[in-house]
């Protein structure tokens, strides 16, 4: 306040010059602070496992298909994809200790379990949900996706739930082209629908994606061939869908596949900034273990395809897909990978870098475990780049 009083005493032209300069500098730093974030490095900092069959508060802890971080409480919420065969639809609250800058084998502790309730305050009927994605809002609520069941013509959903009670509050609309079709001519493929979920840091946009191509968009992934997923963008100001983007997955060719089973797709997304830059997680079961890859993607130059009901009906060369850059092939780590399906940013590490957490779905299979992997992300924005150039100490 004293600064502005002194400025007002200056000659008028100098006063306006200083005022305009201050406004321009303020706008510059405001815009540059919210600009795109780039991942410049990623380091593995540890793993922990929870055994299959682990009983916690009268439930079997498992099937963790998505995870989200609550920075205010330093807690994580992980959704189980249990369809009600073991316990009702639910999410778990976890404590993950990264205080030493790494994750140790005993660094994950279950804290609570919350049962999901429908809008009538009732538990979901078994086999009517397949909850996969989870994202925390800034209103003490969680958004959660369900893949539904194509064979039973049960629609997928994206619902908002109370963080404390677990009760459903609202349901986001889903375009008809995504819904199961009794004639099997359009819509999602069974168990290959909305696995992913993320919200931008400013809480204005929500993203989810199909794990594989819609029936009318193209083929499902197979050995040596990727698939055409759709990323859906919702506006959280009005809870309406806005845009869609084409996301082609990478082709994976198994070296050895004795059992002949192959599953590949896009199980999760993670928003890095408010400018359409995200991390994507691609997961493949090759018949002999898992292939997991992390990508940084950009929606900036991708075409909006929400008005295209069938990608097969147009020339694919006419569509600009999202831009992808491989960050890490997890097969290069000295870790036996499990069925990694979820990811979230965690807290700042002691050195000031950002943490990243990945979690696996153990399928309630005794041959698998719930695996939690931790990484250090080196993130850079235009503001941090400028501060580094000016040699200004960065906040820890």
């Amino acid at each position: 306040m004293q600064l502005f009083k002194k400025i007002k005493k200056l000659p008028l032209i100098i006063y306006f010059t200083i005022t305009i300069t201050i406004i321009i500098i303020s706008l510059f730093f405001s815009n540059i602070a919210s600009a795109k974030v780039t991942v410049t490095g990623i380091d593995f900092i540890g793993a922990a496992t929870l055994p299959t069959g682990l009983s916690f508060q009268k439930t079997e802890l498992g099937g963790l298909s998505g995870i989200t971080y609550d920075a205010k409480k330093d807690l994580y919420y992980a959704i189980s994809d249990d369809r009600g065969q073991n316990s009702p639809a639910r999410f778990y609250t976890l404590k993950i200790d990264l205080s030493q800058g790494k994750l140790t084998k005993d660094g994950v502790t279950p804290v609570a379990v919350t049962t999901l309730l429908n809008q009538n305050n009732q538990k979901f009927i078994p086999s009517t949900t397949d909850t996969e994605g989870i994202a925390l809002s800034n209103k003490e609520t969680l958004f959660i996706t369900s893949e539904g069941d194509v064979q039973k013509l049960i629609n997928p959903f994206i619902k908002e739930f109370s963080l404390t009670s677990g009760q459903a509050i609202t349901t986001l609309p889903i375009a008809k082209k995504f819904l199961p079709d009794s004639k099997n001519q359009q819509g999602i493929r069974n168990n290959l629908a909305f696995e992913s979920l993320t919200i931008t840091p400013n809480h204005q946009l929500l993203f989810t994606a199909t794990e594989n191509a819609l029936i009318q968009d193209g083929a499902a992934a197979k050995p040596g061939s990727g698939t055409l997923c759709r990323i859906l963008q919702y506006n959280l100001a009005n809870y309406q869908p806005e845009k869609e983007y084409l996301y082609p997955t990478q082709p994976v060719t198994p070296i050895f596949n004795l059992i002949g089973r192959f599953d590949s797709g896009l199980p999760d997304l993670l928003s890095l900034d408010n400018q359409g830059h995200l991390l994507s997680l691609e997961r493949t079961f090759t018949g002999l273990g898992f292939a997991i890859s992390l990508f940084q993607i950009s929606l900036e130059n991708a075409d909006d395809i929400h008005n295209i009901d069938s990608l097969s009906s147009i020339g694919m060369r006419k569509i600009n897909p999202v831009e992808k850059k491989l960050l890490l092939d997890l097969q290069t780590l000295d870790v036996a990978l499990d069925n990694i399906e979820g990811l979230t940013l965690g807290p700042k590490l002691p050195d000031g870098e950002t943490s990243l957490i990945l979690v696996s779905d153990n399928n309630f299979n005794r041959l698998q475990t719930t695996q939690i992997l931790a990484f250090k992300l080196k993130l850079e924005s235009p503001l941090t780049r400028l501060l580094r150039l000016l040699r200004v100490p960065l906040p820890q």
Side-chain angles (χ1 to χ4, degrees), residues 225-257:
S225 299
T227 188
L228 303 177
C229 305
R230 287 183 186 240
I231 295 177
L232 293 72
Q233 174 182 310
Y234 282 81
N235 186 333
L236 290 182
N238 57 17
Y239 285 31
Q240 294 298 309
E242 283 188 327
K243 298 179 180 180
E244 294 170 20
Y245 305 95
L246 176 62
Y247 181 103
T249 65
Q250 298 302 112
V252 177
T253 302
I255 298 174
F256 206 51
N257 191 348

Side-chain angles (χ1 to χ4, degrees), residues 54-104:
L54 175 64
S55 179
F56 179 74
Q57 295 186 1
K58 299 181 180 180
T59 69
E60 182 178 345
L61 195 158
L64 304 187
S65 296
I67 189 168
T68 188
Y69 179 60
D70 187 336
K72 292 180 181 178
K73 302 174 183 176
D74 191 25
L75 294 171
Y76 298 79
Y77 309 116
I79 187 70
S80 174
D81 69 357
D82 186 351
R83 299 190 182 197
Q85 277 72 33
N86 298 288
S87 296
R90 61 201 182 278
F91 70 86
Y92 290 91
T93 302
L94 305 175
K95 182 73 176 178
I96 301 177
D97 184 5
L98 300 175
S99 60
Q100 302 302 312
K102 61 183 179 180
L103 176 62
T104 65

Side-chain angles (χ1 to χ4, degrees), residues 373-392:
L373 304 179
F375 297 85
K376 177 193 296 187
L377 280 185
K378 297 177 182 178
L379 302 178
E380 192 166 70
S381 68
L383 177 58
T384 56
R385 282 195 291 275
L386 176 61
L387 293 177
R388 289 185 195 280
L389 287 174
L390 296 176
R391 298 184 179 181
V392 175

Side-chain angles (χ1 to χ4, degrees), residues 275-301:
Q275 314 299 322
H277 301 94
L278 305 94
L279 295 184
S280 66
L281 176 68
E282 295 189 23
R283 178 275 326 269
T284 302
F285 177 66
T286 64
L288 191 67
F290 296 92
I292 314 290
S293 294
L294 275 173
F295 297 86
Q296 178 164 353
I297 68 171
S298 172
L299 310 179
E300 283 184 301
N301 299 314

Side-chain angles (χ1 to χ4, degrees), residues 117-129:
L117 306 173
N118 62 25
Q119 286 171 289
N120 295 321
N121 209 31
Q122 302 293 318
K123 297 176 183 177
F124 286 91
I125 298 171
S127 300
T128 60
T129 64

Side-chain angles (χ1 to χ4, degrees), residues 167-233:
Q167 183 176 1
I169 302 170
T170 54
T171 302
L172 274 60
I174 295 173
K176 183 179 178 181
K177 63 174 172 279
F178 293 98
L179 303 182
D181 176 16
S182 60
K183 297 180 181 179
N184 205 34
Q185 297 297 307
Q186 72 161 38
I188 55 173
R189 288 180 158 89
N190 202 41
N191 207 34
L192 295 172
F194 303 139
E195 282 231 8
S196 55
L197 198 61
T198 188
I199 295 174
T200 53
N202 63 8
H203 294 274
Q204 292 182 5
L205 300 177
L206 175 148
F207 295 99
T208 186
T210 59
E211 190 179 356
N212 263 226
L214 300 178
I215 291 172
Q216 70 271 25
D217 282 347
K222 56 186 178 181
S225 299
T227 188
L228 303 177
C229 305
R230 287 183 186 240
I231 295 177
L232 293 72
Q233 174 182 310

Side-chain angles (χ1 to χ4, degrees), residues 36-43 272 279 295-296 325-328 353-354 376-382 384-385 388 394:
K36 76 172 186 177
V37 170
T38 301
V39 180
T40 58
I42 180 169
D43 297 318
L272 292 173
L279 295 184
F295 297 86
Q296 178 164 353
K325 176 186 176 182
L326 178 65
L327 290 179
L328 179 65
E353 301 290 1
T354 300
K376 177 193 296 187
L377 280 185
K378 297 177 182 178
L379 302 178
E380 192 166 70
S381 68
T384 56
R385 282 195 291 275
R388 289 185 195 280
L394 297 175

